[in-house]
Amino acid sequence: MTGSEVLAQATELEDMDLSKTSLQRLRCATNLLDGFHRGLFGFLHAPKRTLSVNFPVEMDDGSVQIFQGFRVLHNQILGPGKGGIRYHPALSVEEVQFLAAEMTWKCALVDIPFGGAKGGVVCDPKVLSEDELRRITRRYITELGDAIGPNTDIPAPDMYTNAQTMAWIYDTYEVLHPRRNNRSVVTGKPIELGGSHGRREATARGALYATQRFLEQTTLCGFQDLSDVRVAVQGFGNVGAIAAQLFAEAGAIIVAVSDSQGGIYDERGLDIEAVLAYKQTHNTVVGVPETMSITNADLLELDCDILIPAAQSNQIHKGNAARIKAKLIVEAANGPTTPGADAILLENGVHLLPDILVNAGGVVVSYYEWVQNFEHEQWELELINQKLKQKIHKAVDRVVDRWGALSAEAERAQSNVPSDRQADEHCPCYPVDLRTAALVATIEHLVKVTLSRGIWP
Ligand code: NAD
């Protein structure tokens, strides 16, 4: 069966609407929080603001096209909104809302003073020229107006946007708000424009630090470091390609990687530098000499130790979860696993480090970039990596501790589990998975801050 046939079958098996995923996971986490103030559920779930803009752009051939863009501010209880900007033809407002909520959880989990936000434009960067992308970016940012700002909502890169896109965002904002230090309006900028050392690699590096810490702290996977551990990586962009490099440097054997056109496999381990060079000239990893071509569906089901989804959402679902052979899934992408798959993986003893923990390195170093911009400073790479490691280790320890406590509690209460909880296969409250433990720790923190600030007025 091809990847799209598997996905079509899975869509019949399971509702993959990301807004329902968000709701289900929040319900599950709040169920486990003692004394949760029920009145806060809607406040935590619903985005504070959803902005949708339509704007015209002149194309290279002189024609004019209308584009739709979004910016969602999910929650600002901890500070200004923070979140990437994605360019994708299938982008929907529901997806942006899901991703904005993920940012709220992520910032709270790693304890940085930001709320959650996300944005994007419905467009296909693969068929657009650099000039068209620049005009789309400038017009989109102009349409957002003061919805973004250094102290209100700060964009960053996400799928199919990069440091160049962030430079255009900065420049556009600067033109609209002259004669002040505007550098902190956007992160992920080029170094020479106030970008931070280590930001480009930060998401992948955070994923490495999270995995290493988790393996050190637990014996769940049967290996306690990355030496000779076989890793498959889905997605070979900013996050996936750098993760493949960093995991290989740490001793892992990268047996497979893929991009939107397909994947490659070599059981002896891929030479990641050679794959990067090939991708640069051929625009895909498919066809690297002396590798076997595989589909993205094959990659997910490979016999390996660690699977790193680093591309799209909803990749591991009810239709393929039972065939996943990896012992550990490291969610570098946002939302790559559906609730239906979570339940199957839990049942099958496949452990999963959740996205809000694994890919938080990006927003942590974005926060450092923001601080450096306010201070007119540029910190050394070593300092940034050291601070990032501390933050990620602390967050992993928090999740593992919480998971241990919730699991022990669940075991004690096993005989008293309410029947409705047992019946809900999408709400794996008992036993508890690492995703739920991370979300419980996060929500607890957000509730505490919300109640100590008080409900206005
Ligand atoms: P990117 O645009 O740099 O790369 C995306 C990669 O995924 C490309 O190689 C593309 O070919 C591949 N891809 C697209 N569709 C695919 C499919 N169906 N199957 C396999 N591969 C596919 O994007 P990125 O910045 O690396 O982001 C990847 C994921 O990481 C996204 O989920 C994003 O939200 C998440 N993330 C990124 C950052 C960041 O700092 N860039 C931070 C946190 C989370």
Side-chain angles (χ1 to χ4, degrees):
M1 223 190 289
T2 67
S4 46
E5 281 165 353
V6 173
L7 192 62
Q9 194 189 53
T11 318
E12 280 171 25
L13 289 173
E14 178 181 20
D15 190 344
M16 295 203 193
D17 179 341
L18 288 169
S19 48
K20 290 191 184 143
T21 300
S22 248
L23 190 64
Q24 228 169 46
R25 288 185 176 149
L26 186 60
R27 196 177 292 137
C28 194
T30 53
N31 270 351
L32 290 170
L33 259 183
D34 276 343
F36 175 69
H37 193 313
R38 286 279 141 206
L40 291 180
F41 189 91
F43 171 71
L44 290 166
H45 175 59
K48 184 177 168 75
R49 180 182 67 204
T50 298
L51 204 59
S52 167
V53 292
N54 294 291
F55 53 89
V57 172
E58 192 173 343
M59 310 307 284
D60 289 347
D61 64 2
S63 66
V64 173
Q65 273 185 35
I66 298 290
F67 290 87
Q68 185 175 27
F70 308 108
R71 186 73 190 170
V72 174
L73 179 59
H74 175 256
N75 190 298
Q76 264 183 325
I77 203 73
L78 297 180
K82 186 84 191 79
I85 288 183
R86 179 177 288 200
Y87 288 174
H88 199 272
L91 189 73
S92 68
V93 70
E94 290 79 16
E95 185 173 16
V96 181
Q97 287 174 334
F98 168 84
L99 294 167
E102 290 261 298
M103 288 305 297
T104 302
W105 316 144
K106 211 176 289 182
C107 295
L109 184 62
V110 290
D111 201 16
I112 54 175
F114 284 142
K118 203 80 180 190
V121 176
V122 185
C123 66
D124 186 356
K126 287 186 180 160
V127 300
L128 294 164
S129 71
E130 173 112 346
D131 280 349
E132 288 168 336
L133 281 169
R134 179 171 43 78
R135 289 195 289 274
I136 290 171
T137 304
R138 287 193 186 285
R139 186 66 196 247
Y140 164 61
I141 293 304
T142 308
E143 295 292 332
L144 294 186
D146 284 333
I148 63 163
N151 294 300
T152 49
D153 181 356
I154 306 128
D158 193 74
M159 281 189 84
Y160 298 111
T161 59
N162 53 28
Q164 176 60 75
T165 327
M166 302 306 116
W168 292 328
I169 293 176
Y170 165 72
D171 189 64
T172 307
Y173 191 85
E174 170 86 354
V175 168
L176 298 173
H177 302 82
R179 294 179 293 281
R180 48 167 126 146
N181 172 14
N182 287 313
R183 288 193 159 187
S184 44
V185 70
V186 63
T187 60
K189 300 180 291 292
I191 300 285
E192 57 278 12
L193 248 187
S196 177
H197 290 299
R199 172 61 187 88
R200 197 180 66 86
E201 311 90 303
T203 306
R205 192 173 289 284
L208 173 75
Y209 290 159
T211 308
Q212 287 175 320
R213 183 66 169 187
F214 176 72
L215 294 178
E216 261 168 44
Q217 298 292 80
T218 68
T219 51
L220 295 168
C221 300
F223 42 91
Q224 290 203 275
D225 62 38
L226 290 171
S227 314
D228 295 332
V229 161
R230 291 162 309 141
V231 177
V233 185
Q234 186 198 42
F236 205 69
N238 174 276
V239 180
I242 301 176
Q245 271 179 311
L246 295 177
F247 275 70
E249 278 169 23
I253 300 168
I254 312 298
V255 291
V257 299
S258 69
D259 58 29
S260 58
Q261 298 186 48
I264 50 172
Y265 173 76
D266 184 343
E267 65 173 347
R268 298 164 301 172
L270 298 162
D271 174 350
I272 297 303
E273 297 309 319
V275 180
L276 277 166
Y278 186 91
K279 169 105 182 165
Q280 206 134 50
T281 46
H282 295 80
N283 233 355
T284 177
V285 298
V286 180
V288 171
E290 292 174 46
T291 63
M292 189 204 290
S293 290
I294 55 171
T295 65
N296 265 296
D298 295 335
L299 180 138
L300 296 173
E301 297 171 20
L302 277 178
D303 184 10
C304 63
D305 301 304
I306 297 182
L307 173 62
I308 307 182
Q312 305 264 20
S313 53
N314 288 337
Q315 297 297 298
I316 303 169
H317 43 68
K318 245 183 161 174
N320 62 9
R323 295 193 296 274
I324 301 281
K325 296 179 195 71
K327 298 175 187 74
L328 178 67
I329 296 176
V330 173
E331 287 192 324
N334 282 308
T337 313
T338 65
D342 275 344
I344 295 169
L345 296 169
L346 187 64
E347 177 85 29
N348 290 351
V350 178
H351 299 285
L352 182 150
L353 282 179
D355 47 6
I356 60 170
L357 177 63
V358 170
N359 69 34
V363 76
V364 169
V365 177
S366 273
Y367 167 58
Y368 297 152
E369 180 174 331
W370 184 75
V371 173
Q372 291 170 75
N373 291 158
F374 275 121
E375 290 178 347
H376 301 273
E377 272 285 354
Q378 194 146 60
W379 303 346
E380 295 298 327
L381 177 63
E382 291 69 28
L383 175 67
I384 288 165
N385 286 345
Q386 180 202 329
K387 285 166 85 75
L388 171 65
K389 192 188 250 186
Q390 274 172 2
K391 274 268 182 226
I392 297 290
H393 281 190
K394 218 166 153 187
V396 171
D397 293 354
R398 203 167 151 208
V399 172
V400 170
D401 285 353
R402 196 57 191 244
W403 177 71
L406 284 166
S407 301
E409 202 180 295
E411 223 159 273
R412 275 197 305 277
Q414 199 65 33
S415 52
N416 300 324
V417 177
S419 54
D420 58 333
R421 280 190 191 171
Q422 279 173 332
D424 186 352
E425 58 171 334
H426 293 323
C427 186
C429 297
Y430 297 98
V432 178
D433 60 5
L434 289 156
R435 184 193 308 287
T436 311
L439 202 51
V440 167
T442 299
I443 302 296
E444 188 175 52
H445 178 58
L446 285 166
V447 167
K448 210 168 174 181
V449 176
T450 306
L451 294 178
S452 70
R453 284 181 63 161
I455 307 294
W456 180 263

